[in-house]
Amino acid sequence: MGESNRNLRSTLKRRRRNVPPMQAYDALPQELRQWLAQACLPWSPSSALKIWNKAGGGHDPLVAIGRLETVERAMLQRDAQVWGANR
């Protein structure tokens, strides 16, 4: 197997996307796209939209953005613990 094919041997589950990532991003609500443009972490459009919808972003975007910020802070905190930044 050539050098360019070595990642094809992975046992990890492959993700099949029905929509190209940029098309999914463009379909997001404007407020969510603005938040994602300034986010610290590289969010997938589908992950961000799930949180947005659960937090009621269609009715109250500020509440949904607050929820996204809370989730992102928790993820950053967890990552800092992994790398030993809180020791």
Side-chain angles (χ1 to χ4, degrees):
M1 196 173 271
E3 182 74 19
S4 65
N5 293 328
R6 70 178 173 193
N7 66 343
L8 298 177
R9 293 181 288 187
S10 175
T11 59
L12 297 175
K13 183 178 177 184
R14 293 181 187 204
R15 287 184 168 185
R16 300 279 181 208
R17 292 189 172 108
N18 295 330
V19 179
M22 285 308 296
Q23 187 177 352
Y25 178 84
D26 290 342
L28 296 174
Q30 180 183 2
E31 296 93 343
L32 179 54
R33 287 194 318 265
Q34 289 173 345
W35 184 85
L36 286 171
Q38 298 178 25
C40 296
L41 298 173
W43 288 79
S44 72
S46 61
S47 295
L49 187 59
K50 282 180 191 176
I51 294 170
W52 176 267
N53 287 335
K54 279 188 175 184
H59 302 294
D60 194 346
L62 292 178
V63 170
I65 288 171
R67 178 65 183 141
L68 285 160
E69 289 174 352
T70 300
V71 171
E72 185 171 58
R73 255 192 317 274
M75 292 168 67
L76 289 168
Q77 181 88 26
R78 184 176 53 205
D79 194 44
Q81 291 172 354
V82 168
W83 295 104
N86 288 342
R87 293 181 198 200

